[in-house]
Amino acid sequence: MISMVMVAVGVYARLLKHAEAAMACLAVDPAILLIVVGVLTFLITFCGCVGSLRENICLLQTFSACLTAVFLLQLAAGVLGFVFSDRARGKVSEIINGAIVHYRDDLDLQNLIDFGQKEFSCCGGVSYKDWSQNMYFNCTATNPSRERCSVPFSCCLHDANQTVINTMCGHGMQDKGYLEASAFIYTNGCIDKLVNWIHSNLFLLGGITLGLALPQLVGIVLAQLLINQIRDQIKLQLYNQQHRADPWY
């Protein structure tokens, strides 16, 4: 049921977008990610649910194999991310830069970036000048956009007593130096902030990972136990049928 809700929300969010904008940033669309995760979750849980109710060995084996694959992929991602931390950092940087380029093309992506910059008190990937990669915030002299050399309002330092948000507070900030701009916006990039947050919350992330892994392991073990019980029942039924057909039984 949860996976069906995820798919429904993803499809609804996708349909609300303009076709051109949706195709422009297909690889970084949160709605697509929600649909894919929802569909995969539904297929896996459907196999487990129907397989256990109907005592279908094929569906139960599919369920167990999928859970095992997901568990191994999570384990491999964690190990590779730890061993190849530099490459992982480069991949994160690539994703963030791609999101910056398509900032104005996708409202969901825009809200996600704004939330991240506010939450981590950062701006751009490496620095606030990364926003020049976006065609609207580009700092070249030929850029006709009114947002030329600006940064999104989520980069701005906000006063707690401020009731009305000034969405133009980042206007012209890329023209300023780090020291001058730091009085108005966050100048540090989000990559370093994200890495520092991960390092300071390793126990929390480890607990979440363990909490996700345990149900998967329990599901794999229970599925295998049920498969073995069904096979034992089938063997017992065949044994009984053979002996009933025996005239000396």
Side-chain angles (χ1 to χ4, degrees):
M1 291 175 64
I2 293 173
S3 60
M4 290 176 68
V5 171
M6 291 172 62
V7 173
V9 172
V11 171
Y12 177 73
R14 190 70 182 170
L15 291 176
L16 286 180
K17 299 174 184 176
H18 297 293
E20 296 81 4
M23 289 303 294
C25 52
L26 187 62
V28 290
D29 191 352
I32 290 294
L33 181 62
L34 201 62
I35 293 171
V36 171
V37 173
V39 169
L40 291 177
T41 305
F42 175 79
L43 292 175
I44 294 172
T45 52
F46 178 83
C47 289
C49 182
V50 176
S52 59
L53 289 174
R54 303 296 300 174
E55 295 186 349
N56 188 300
I57 292 179
C58 182
L59 288 177
L60 287 173
Q61 286 178 333
T62 303
F63 172 73
S64 179
C66 289
L67 277 186
T68 304
V70 170
F71 176 77
L72 292 177
L73 285 173
Q74 290 175 347
L75 184 63
V79 172
L80 291 174
F82 180 77
V83 175
F84 301 102
S85 57
D86 291 337
R87 291 188 180 181
R89 182 189 176 95
K91 188 63 178 178
V92 171
S93 177
E94 181 182 336
I95 293 172
I96 291 177
N97 288 333
I100 288 173
V101 171
H102 296 292
Y103 176 76
R104 288 295 189 204
D105 300 336
D106 189 333
L107 185 59
D108 290 338
L109 183 64
Q110 180 176 317
N111 292 333
L112 184 63
I113 294 173
D114 287 336
F115 173 79
Q117 292 190 147
K118 289 178 184 177
E119 206 53 35
F120 290 103
S121 301
C122 59
C123 187
V126 178
S127 74
Y128 66 100
K129 291 185 179 292
D130 287 343
W131 279 103
S132 194
Q133 299 177 58
N134 185 280
M135 62 183 296
Y136 297 98
F137 299 107
N138 190 279
C139 228
T140 56
T142 56
N143 185 9
S145 173
R146 293 183 179 181
E147 295 180 306
R148 176 184 171 275
C149 272
S150 300
V151 294
F153 75 95
S154 55
C155 290
C156 298
L157 301 170
H158 295 295
D159 187 359
N161 299 322
Q162 188 179 10
T163 56
V164 180
I165 298 175
N166 178 17
T167 57
M168 296 299 293
C169 57
H171 184 72
M173 287 297 156
Q174 292 188 58
D175 274 335
K176 302 181 184 296
Y178 279 86
L179 187 61
E180 187 180 1
S182 62
F184 304 97
I185 62 172
Y186 304 115
T187 54
N188 293 326
C190 294
I191 296 174
D192 290 332
K193 289 279 187 176
L194 181 60
V195 170
N196 292 336
W197 183 87
I198 291 173
H199 287 165
S200 59
N201 292 275
L202 285 176
F203 288 107
L204 175 63
L205 294 173
I208 293 173
T209 304
L210 185 63
L212 292 173
L214 280 177
Q216 294 174 4
L217 291 173
V218 170
I220 294 169
V221 172
L222 291 178
Q224 290 300 323
L225 288 174
L226 185 54
I227 289 171
N228 292 333
Q229 289 178 358
I230 295 171
R231 284 174 174 169
D232 290 340
Q233 290 177 358
I234 293 173
K235 289 179 181 178
L236 182 60
Q237 289 175 357
L238 291 174
Y239 178 81
N240 291 334
Q241 288 175 0
Q242 288 174 357
H243 281 76
R244 283 172 187 162
D246 189 352
W248 298 102
Y249 178 71

Short mmCIF file of all heavy atoms in Angstrom, two decimals, residues 74-133:
data_model
loop_
_atom_site.label_atom_id
_atom_site.label_comp_id
_atom_site.label_asym_id
_atom_site.label_seq_id
_atom_site.Cartn_x
_atom_site.Cartn_y
_atom_site.Cartn_z
N GLN A 74 23.13 -2.44 -1.13
CA GLN A 74 23.32 -1.46 -0.06
C GLN A 74 24.67 -1.65 0.61
O GLN A 74 25.38 -0.67 0.89
CB GLN A 74 22.20 -1.61 0.97
CG GLN A 74 20.84 -1.16 0.47
CD GLN A 74 19.74 -1.44 1.48
OE1 GLN A 74 19.95 -2.18 2.45
NE2 GLN A 74 18.58 -0.87 1.27
N LEU A 75 25.02 -2.91 0.86
CA LEU A 75 26.31 -3.19 1.49
C LEU A 75 27.47 -2.77 0.59
O LEU A 75 28.43 -2.14 1.06
CB LEU A 75 26.40 -4.69 1.79
CG LEU A 75 27.64 -5.18 2.55
CD1 LEU A 75 27.69 -4.55 3.93
CD2 LEU A 75 27.64 -6.69 2.66
N ALA A 76 27.36 -3.07 -0.71
CA ALA A 76 28.42 -2.70 -1.66
C ALA A 76 28.54 -1.19 -1.79
O ALA A 76 29.65 -0.65 -1.85
CB ALA A 76 28.13 -3.32 -3.02
N ALA A 77 27.39 -0.50 -1.81
CA ALA A 77 27.41 0.97 -1.92
C ALA A 77 28.09 1.59 -0.71
O ALA A 77 28.87 2.55 -0.84
CB ALA A 77 25.99 1.50 -2.06
N GLY A 78 27.80 1.05 0.48
CA GLY A 78 28.43 1.57 1.69
C GLY A 78 29.93 1.34 1.69
O GLY A 78 30.71 2.25 2.02
N VAL A 79 30.36 0.13 1.31
CA VAL A 79 31.79 -0.19 1.29
C VAL A 79 32.52 0.63 0.23
O VAL A 79 33.58 1.21 0.49
CB VAL A 79 31.99 -1.70 1.03
CG1 VAL A 79 33.46 -2.00 0.82
CG2 VAL A 79 31.44 -2.51 2.20
N LEU A 80 31.94 0.70 -0.98
CA LEU A 80 32.58 1.46 -2.06
C LEU A 80 32.63 2.95 -1.74
O LEU A 80 33.60 3.64 -2.07
CB LEU A 80 31.83 1.23 -3.38
CG LEU A 80 31.96 -0.17 -3.98
CD1 LEU A 80 31.07 -0.31 -5.21
CD2 LEU A 80 33.41 -0.47 -4.35
N GLY A 81 31.54 3.47 -1.12
CA GLY A 81 31.53 4.88 -0.75
C GLY A 81 32.59 5.19 0.29
O GLY A 81 33.16 6.29 0.28
N PHE A 82 32.88 4.21 1.18
CA PHE A 82 33.91 4.43 2.20
C PHE A 82 35.31 4.29 1.60
O PHE A 82 36.20 5.08 1.88
CB PHE A 82 33.73 3.42 3.33
CG PHE A 82 34.73 3.56 4.44
CD1 PHE A 82 34.62 4.57 5.38
CD2 PHE A 82 35.81 2.68 4.53
CE1 PHE A 82 35.56 4.71 6.39
CE2 PHE A 82 36.74 2.79 5.53
CZ PHE A 82 36.62 3.81 6.47
N VAL A 83 35.50 3.26 0.77
CA VAL A 83 36.83 3.00 0.19
C VAL A 83 37.19 4.05 -0.85
O VAL A 83 38.30 4.59 -0.87
CB VAL A 83 36.88 1.59 -0.42
CG1 VAL A 83 38.20 1.36 -1.14
CG2 VAL A 83 36.68 0.53 0.67
N PHE A 84 36.23 4.34 -1.75
CA PHE A 84 36.48 5.31 -2.81
C PHE A 84 35.76 6.63 -2.49
O PHE A 84 34.91 7.10 -3.25
CB PHE A 84 36.00 4.77 -4.15
CG PHE A 84 36.65 3.48 -4.55
CD1 PHE A 84 35.98 2.27 -4.40
CD2 PHE A 84 37.93 3.47 -5.07
CE1 PHE A 84 36.58 1.08 -4.78
CE2 PHE A 84 38.54 2.29 -5.45
CZ PHE A 84 37.86 1.08 -5.29
N SER A 85 36.10 7.20 -1.35
CA SER A 85 35.42 8.42 -0.88
C SER A 85 35.64 9.60 -1.83
O SER A 85 34.76 10.43 -2.01
CB SER A 85 35.90 8.78 0.53
OG SER A 85 37.31 8.94 0.56
N ASP A 86 36.83 9.65 -2.46
CA ASP A 86 37.12 10.75 -3.39
C ASP A 86 36.22 10.67 -4.63
O ASP A 86 35.70 11.69 -5.10
CB ASP A 86 38.58 10.72 -3.81
CG ASP A 86 39.52 11.07 -2.66
OD1 ASP A 86 39.05 11.73 -1.72
OD2 ASP A 86 40.70 10.67 -2.70
N ARG A 87 36.06 9.43 -5.15
CA ARG A 87 35.19 9.26 -6.32
C ARG A 87 33.74 9.51 -5.95
O ARG A 87 32.98 10.07 -6.74
CB ARG A 87 35.35 7.85 -6.88
CG ARG A 87 36.70 7.60 -7.52
CD ARG A 87 36.74 6.25 -8.23
NE ARG A 87 38.04 6.00 -8.85
CZ ARG A 87 38.32 4.92 -9.55
NH1 ARG A 87 37.41 3.97 -9.72
NH2 ARG A 87 39.53 4.76 -10.08
N ALA A 88 33.35 9.09 -4.75
CA ALA A 88 31.98 9.34 -4.29
C ALA A 88 31.73 10.84 -4.17
O ALA A 88 30.66 11.33 -4.53
CB ALA A 88 31.75 8.64 -2.95
N ARG A 89 32.73 11.56 -3.66
CA ARG A 89 32.61 13.01 -3.55
C ARG A 89 32.47 13.64 -4.94
O ARG A 89 31.69 14.57 -5.14
CB ARG A 89 33.84 13.56 -2.83
CG ARG A 89 33.82 15.07 -2.62
CD ARG A 89 35.17 15.54 -2.10
NE ARG A 89 35.19 16.98 -1.98
CZ ARG A 89 34.93 17.64 -0.89
NH1 ARG A 89 34.59 16.98 0.22
NH2 ARG A 89 34.98 18.96 -0.86
N GLY A 90 33.26 13.11 -5.91
CA GLY A 90 33.17 13.62 -7.28
C GLY A 90 31.80 13.37 -7.88
O GLY A 90 31.27 14.21 -8.61
N LYS A 91 31.22 12.20 -7.59
CA LYS A 91 29.89 11.88 -8.11
C LYS A 91 28.83 12.78 -7.50
O LYS A 91 27.92 13.25 -8.19
CB LYS A 91 29.56 10.40 -7.81
CG LYS A 91 28.29 9.91 -8.47
CD LYS A 91 28.38 9.96 -9.98
CE LYS A 91 27.12 9.42 -10.64
NZ LYS A 91 27.18 9.51 -12.11
N VAL A 92 28.95 13.04 -6.19
CA VAL A 92 28.02 13.96 -5.52
C VAL A 92 28.14 15.35 -6.11
O VAL A 92 27.13 16.04 -6.35
CB VAL A 92 28.29 13.99 -4.00
CG1 VAL A 92 27.50 15.10 -3.33
CG2 VAL A 92 27.94 12.65 -3.37
N SER A 93 29.37 15.77 -6.37
CA SER A 93 29.61 17.08 -6.99
C SER A 93 28.97 17.16 -8.37
O SER A 93 28.36 18.18 -8.73
CB SER A 93 31.11 17.35 -7.08
OG SER A 93 31.36 18.58 -7.73
N GLU A 94 29.07 16.07 -9.13
CA GLU A 94 28.47 16.03 -10.47
C GLU A 94 26.95 16.13 -10.39
O GLU A 94 26.32 16.84 -11.19
CB GLU A 94 28.88 14.72 -11.14
CG GLU A 94 28.35 14.55 -12.56
CD GLU A 94 28.74 13.22 -13.17
OE1 GLU A 94 29.76 12.63 -12.72
OE2 GLU A 94 28.02 12.74 -14.07
N ILE A 95 26.35 15.44 -9.43
CA ILE A 95 24.89 15.47 -9.26
C ILE A 95 24.42 16.87 -8.87
O ILE A 95 23.44 17.39 -9.40
CB ILE A 95 24.45 14.44 -8.21
CG1 ILE A 95 24.70 13.02 -8.73
CG2 ILE A 95 22.98 14.61 -7.85
CD1 ILE A 95 24.47 11.94 -7.70
N ILE A 96 25.15 17.49 -7.93
CA ILE A 96 24.77 18.84 -7.47
C ILE A 96 24.91 19.85 -8.60
O ILE A 96 24.03 20.72 -8.78
CB ILE A 96 25.63 19.25 -6.26
CG1 ILE A 96 25.25 18.40 -5.04
CG2 ILE A 96 25.45 20.73 -5.93
CD1 ILE A 96 26.09 18.67 -3.81
N ASN A 97 25.97 19.75 -9.38
CA ASN A 97 26.16 20.67 -10.50
C ASN A 97 25.06 20.49 -11.55
O ASN A 97 24.57 21.47 -12.13
CB ASN A 97 27.53 20.46 -11.14
CG ASN A 97 28.67 20.97 -10.26
OD1 ASN A 97 28.47 21.88 -9.46
ND2 ASN A 97 29.84 20.37 -10.40
N GLY A 98 24.67 19.23 -11.79
CA GLY A 98 23.56 18.97 -12.72
C GLY A 98 22.26 19.56 -12.21
O GLY A 98 21.45 20.09 -13.00
N ALA A 99 22.05 19.48 -10.90
CA ALA A 99 20.84 20.05 -10.31
C ALA A 99 20.84 21.57 -10.42
O ALA A 99 19.79 22.20 -10.66
CB ALA A 99 20.73 19.62 -8.84
N ILE A 100 22.02 22.18 -10.26
CA ILE A 100 22.13 23.64 -10.39
C ILE A 100 21.78 24.07 -11.81
O ILE A 100 21.07 25.07 -12.01
CB ILE A 100 23.55 24.10 -10.01
CG1 ILE A 100 23.75 23.98 -8.50
CG2 ILE A 100 23.80 25.54 -10.46
CD1 ILE A 100 25.17 24.26 -8.04
N VAL A 101 22.25 23.34 -12.80
CA VAL A 101 21.98 23.68 -14.20
C VAL A 101 20.48 23.67 -14.48
O VAL A 101 19.95 24.54 -15.19
CB VAL A 101 22.71 22.70 -15.13
CG1 VAL A 101 22.25 22.89 -16.58
CG2 VAL A 101 24.22 22.88 -15.03
N HIS A 102 19.74 22.71 -13.90
CA HIS A 102 18.31 22.55 -14.17
C HIS A 102 17.43 23.14 -13.07
O HIS A 102 16.27 22.77 -12.94
CB HIS A 102 17.98 21.07 -14.34
CG HIS A 102 18.65 20.44 -15.52
ND1 HIS A 102 18.33 20.75 -16.81
CD2 HIS A 102 19.65 19.51 -15.60
CE1 HIS A 102 19.08 20.04 -17.65
NE2 HIS A 102 19.89 19.28 -16.93
N TYR A 103 17.98 24.07 -12.30
CA TYR A 103 17.27 24.62 -11.13
C TYR A 103 15.92 25.21 -11.51
O TYR A 103 14.92 24.98 -10.85
CB TYR A 103 18.15 25.68 -10.47
CG TYR A 103 17.51 26.41 -9.32
CD1 TYR A 103 17.39 25.80 -8.07
CD2 TYR A 103 17.05 27.72 -9.46
CE1 TYR A 103 16.82 26.46 -7.00
CE2 TYR A 103 16.48 28.39 -8.39
CZ TYR A 103 16.36 27.76 -7.16
OH TYR A 103 15.79 28.43 -6.11
N ARG A 104 15.87 25.98 -12.58
CA ARG A 104 14.62 26.65 -12.98
C ARG A 104 13.73 25.77 -13.88
O ARG A 104 12.62 26.16 -14.20
CB ARG A 104 14.94 27.94 -13.74
CG ARG A 104 15.48 29.07 -12.89
CD ARG A 104 14.49 29.55 -11.88
NE ARG A 104 14.92 30.77 -11.21
CZ ARG A 104 14.51 31.15 -10.02
NH1 ARG A 104 13.66 30.38 -9.36
NH2 ARG A 104 14.94 32.27 -9.47
N ASP A 105 14.20 24.59 -14.24
CA ASP A 105 13.44 23.74 -15.15
C ASP A 105 12.44 22.85 -14.43
O ASP A 105 11.52 22.32 -15.06
CB ASP A 105 14.40 22.86 -15.97
CG ASP A 105 15.36 23.69 -16.79
OD1 ASP A 105 15.03 24.84 -17.09
OD2 ASP A 105 16.45 23.18 -17.12
N ASP A 106 12.63 22.64 -13.15
CA ASP A 106 11.82 21.67 -12.40
C ASP A 106 11.50 22.24 -11.03
O ASP A 106 12.40 22.50 -10.23
CB ASP A 106 12.59 20.35 -12.27
CG ASP A 106 11.74 19.23 -11.71
OD1 ASP A 106 10.79 19.54 -10.98
OD2 ASP A 106 12.02 18.06 -12.01
N LEU A 107 10.21 22.44 -10.74
CA LEU A 107 9.80 23.04 -9.48
C LEU A 107 10.15 22.15 -8.29
O LEU A 107 10.57 22.64 -7.23
CB LEU A 107 8.29 23.32 -9.50
CG LEU A 107 7.72 24.06 -8.27
CD1 LEU A 107 8.39 25.42 -8.11
CD2 LEU A 107 6.21 24.23 -8.41
N ASP A 108 9.98 20.82 -8.45
CA ASP A 108 10.32 19.90 -7.36
C ASP A 108 11.81 19.96 -7.05
O ASP A 108 12.22 19.99 -5.88
CB ASP A 108 9.93 18.46 -7.74
CG ASP A 108 8.43 18.27 -7.76
OD1 ASP A 108 7.74 19.07 -7.11
OD2 ASP A 108 7.96 17.34 -8.43
N LEU A 109 12.63 19.96 -8.10
CA LEU A 109 14.07 20.05 -7.92
C LEU A 109 14.46 21.39 -7.29
O LEU A 109 15.33 21.45 -6.42
CB LEU A 109 14.76 19.89 -9.27
CG LEU A 109 16.28 19.89 -9.27
CD1 LEU A 109 16.83 18.71 -8.49
CD2 LEU A 109 16.82 19.87 -10.69
N GLN A 110 13.79 22.44 -7.70
CA GLN A 110 14.06 23.77 -7.15
C GLN A 110 13.77 23.80 -5.65
O GLN A 110 14.57 24.31 -4.86
CB GLN A 110 13.19 24.80 -7.88
CG GLN A 110 13.37 26.23 -7.39
CD GLN A 110 12.55 27.20 -8.24
OE1 GLN A 110 12.52 27.09 -9.46
NE2 GLN A 110 11.89 28.14 -7.60
N ASN A 111 12.64 23.23 -5.25
CA ASN A 111 12.28 23.19 -3.83
C ASN A 111 13.26 22.34 -3.04
O ASN A 111 13.59 22.66 -1.89
CB ASN A 111 10.86 22.64 -3.66
CG ASN A 111 9.81 23.59 -4.19
OD1 ASN A 111 10.02 24.81 -4.22
ND2 ASN A 111 8.68 23.07 -4.61
N LEU A 112 13.73 21.24 -3.65
CA LEU A 112 14.68 20.36 -2.99
C LEU A 112 16.01 21.08 -2.76
O LEU A 112 16.60 20.98 -1.67
CB LEU A 112 14.90 19.10 -3.84
CG LEU A 112 15.80 18.03 -3.25
CD1 LEU A 112 15.21 17.46 -1.97
CD2 LEU A 112 16.02 16.90 -4.27
N ILE A 113 16.50 21.80 -3.76
CA ILE A 113 17.75 22.54 -3.62
C ILE A 113 17.62 23.65 -2.59
O ILE A 113 18.51 23.85 -1.75
CB ILE A 113 18.20 23.11 -4.98
CG1 ILE A 113 18.54 21.99 -5.95
CG2 ILE A 113 19.38 24.05 -4.82
CD1 ILE A 113 18.84 22.45 -7.36
N ASP A 114 16.51 24.38 -2.64
CA ASP A 114 16.28 25.45 -1.67
C ASP A 114 16.25 24.91 -0.25
O ASP A 114 16.81 25.51 0.68
CB ASP A 114 14.97 26.18 -1.98
CG ASP A 114 15.08 27.07 -3.22
OD1 ASP A 114 16.22 27.47 -3.55
OD2 ASP A 114 14.05 27.34 -3.85
N PHE A 115 15.59 23.76 -0.07
CA PHE A 115 15.53 23.14 1.25
C PHE A 115 16.93 22.75 1.73
O PHE A 115 17.29 22.99 2.89
CB PHE A 115 14.62 21.90 1.21
CG PHE A 115 14.63 21.10 2.48
CD1 PHE A 115 13.89 21.52 3.58
CD2 PHE A 115 15.39 19.95 2.58
CE1 PHE A 115 13.90 20.79 4.76
CE2 PHE A 115 15.41 19.21 3.75
CZ PHE A 115 14.66 19.63 4.85
N GLY A 116 17.73 22.14 0.82
CA GLY A 116 19.08 21.73 1.19
C GLY A 116 19.97 22.91 1.55
O GLY A 116 20.73 22.85 2.52
N GLN A 117 19.90 23.99 0.80
CA GLN A 117 20.74 25.17 1.06
C GLN A 117 20.35 25.85 2.37
O GLN A 117 21.22 26.32 3.11
CB GLN A 117 20.65 26.14 -0.11
CG GLN A 117 21.31 25.62 -1.38
CD GLN A 117 21.44 26.66 -2.47
OE1 GLN A 117 22.40 26.63 -3.25
NE2 GLN A 117 20.50 27.57 -2.58
N LYS A 118 19.05 25.87 2.67
CA LYS A 118 18.62 26.44 3.94
C LYS A 118 19.04 25.55 5.11
O LYS A 118 19.48 26.03 6.15
CB LYS A 118 17.09 26.60 3.95
CG LYS A 118 16.56 27.69 3.04
CD LYS A 118 15.05 27.72 3.08
CE LYS A 118 14.46 28.73 2.12
NZ LYS A 118 12.98 28.70 2.11
N GLU A 119 18.86 24.24 4.94
CA GLU A 119 19.10 23.29 6.02
C GLU A 119 20.59 23.22 6.38
O GLU A 119 20.94 23.14 7.55
CB GLU A 119 18.59 21.92 5.58
CG GLU A 119 18.17 20.97 6.63
CD GLU A 119 17.17 21.42 7.64
OE1 GLU A 119 16.25 22.20 7.30
OE2 GLU A 119 17.30 20.99 8.79
N PHE A 120 21.47 23.24 5.34
CA PHE A 120 22.90 23.11 5.58
C PHE A 120 23.61 24.47 5.57
O PHE A 120 24.85 24.50 5.70
CB PHE A 120 23.52 22.21 4.51
CG PHE A 120 23.14 20.77 4.63
CD1 PHE A 120 22.19 20.21 3.79
CD2 PHE A 120 23.71 19.96 5.60
CE1 PHE A 120 21.83 18.88 3.90
CE2 PHE A 120 23.35 18.62 5.73
CZ PHE A 120 22.41 18.09 4.88
N SER A 121 22.87 25.55 5.42
CA SER A 121 23.44 26.90 5.42
C SER A 121 24.59 27.01 4.42
O SER A 121 25.73 27.36 4.75
CB SER A 121 23.94 27.28 6.82
OG SER A 121 22.90 27.23 7.76
N CYS A 122 24.28 26.65 3.16
CA CYS A 122 25.31 26.63 2.12
C CYS A 122 24.74 27.23 0.84
O CYS A 122 23.56 27.56 0.76
CB CYS A 122 25.78 25.20 1.87
SG CYS A 122 24.46 24.06 1.37
N CYS A 123 25.60 27.34 -0.16
CA CYS A 123 25.18 27.92 -1.44
C CYS A 123 26.04 27.35 -2.56
O CYS A 123 27.27 27.49 -2.54
CB CYS A 123 25.31 29.44 -1.38
SG CYS A 123 24.65 30.29 -2.83
N GLY A 124 25.40 26.69 -3.52
CA GLY A 124 26.13 26.10 -4.64
C GLY A 124 26.82 24.80 -4.27
O GLY A 124 26.57 24.24 -3.20
N GLY A 125 27.67 24.32 -5.17
CA GLY A 125 28.39 23.07 -4.93
C GLY A 125 29.63 23.29 -4.10
O GLY A 125 29.71 22.91 -2.94
N VAL A 126 30.66 23.93 -4.71
CA VAL A 126 31.89 24.26 -4.01
C VAL A 126 31.80 25.64 -3.38
O VAL A 126 32.26 25.86 -2.25
CB VAL A 126 33.09 24.19 -4.97
CG1 VAL A 126 34.38 24.59 -4.26
CG2 VAL A 126 33.23 22.79 -5.56
N SER A 127 31.17 26.57 -4.08
CA SER A 127 30.97 27.92 -3.56
C SER A 127 29.73 28.54 -4.23
O SER A 127 29.14 27.95 -5.13
CB SER A 127 32.20 28.79 -3.82
OG SER A 127 32.27 29.14 -5.20
N TYR A 128 29.38 29.73 -3.80
CA TYR A 128 28.20 30.42 -4.33
C TYR A 128 28.38 30.78 -5.80
O TYR A 128 27.41 30.97 -6.53
CB TYR A 128 27.91 31.67 -3.50
CG TYR A 128 28.95 32.76 -3.57
CD1 TYR A 128 28.76 33.88 -4.39
CD2 TYR A 128 30.13 32.69 -2.83
CE1 TYR A 128 29.71 34.88 -4.46
CE2 TYR A 128 31.07 33.68 -2.89
CZ TYR A 128 30.86 34.78 -3.70
OH TYR A 128 31.81 35.78 -3.77
N LYS A 129 29.63 30.86 -6.28
CA LYS A 129 29.87 31.21 -7.68
C LYS A 129 29.52 30.07 -8.64
O LYS A 129 29.50 30.27 -9.85
CB LYS A 129 31.33 31.63 -7.86
CG LYS A 129 31.67 32.96 -7.19
CD LYS A 129 33.08 33.39 -7.50
CE LYS A 129 33.41 34.73 -6.85
NZ LYS A 129 32.66 35.85 -7.43
N ASP A 130 29.24 28.87 -8.10
CA ASP A 130 28.81 27.76 -8.95
C ASP A 130 27.47 28.03 -9.62
O ASP A 130 27.13 27.39 -10.62
CB ASP A 130 28.70 26.47 -8.12
CG ASP A 130 30.06 25.92 -7.75
OD1 ASP A 130 31.05 26.32 -8.39
OD2 ASP A 130 30.14 25.10 -6.82
N TRP A 131 26.72 28.97 -9.07
CA TRP A 131 25.40 29.29 -9.66
C TRP A 131 25.52 29.96 -11.02
O TRP A 131 24.54 30.13 -11.73
CB TRP A 131 24.59 30.16 -8.71
CG TRP A 131 23.95 29.34 -7.65
CD1 TRP A 131 24.33 29.19 -6.35
CD2 TRP A 131 22.80 28.49 -7.82
NE1 TRP A 131 23.50 28.32 -5.70
CE2 TRP A 131 22.57 27.87 -6.57
CE3 TRP A 131 21.97 28.18 -8.90
CZ2 TRP A 131 21.50 26.97 -6.38
CZ3 TRP A 131 20.94 27.30 -8.72
CH2 TRP A 131 20.70 26.70 -7.47
N SER A 132 26.75 30.31 -11.41
CA SER A 132 26.97 30.86 -12.74
C SER A 132 26.80 29.79 -13.82
O SER A 132 26.70 30.11 -15.00
CB SER A 132 28.37 31.46 -12.82
OG SER A 132 28.50 32.27 -13.97
N GLN A 133 26.74 28.50 -13.41
CA GLN A 133 26.50 27.42 -14.37
C GLN A 133 25.06 27.41 -14.86
O GLN A 133 24.76 26.85 -15.92
CB GLN A 133 26.79 26.06 -13.71
CG GLN A 133 28.23 25.89 -13.26
CD GLN A 133 28.44 24.56 -12.55
OE1 GLN A 133 28.20 23.50 -13.12
NE2 GLN A 133 28.88 24.61 -11.31
#
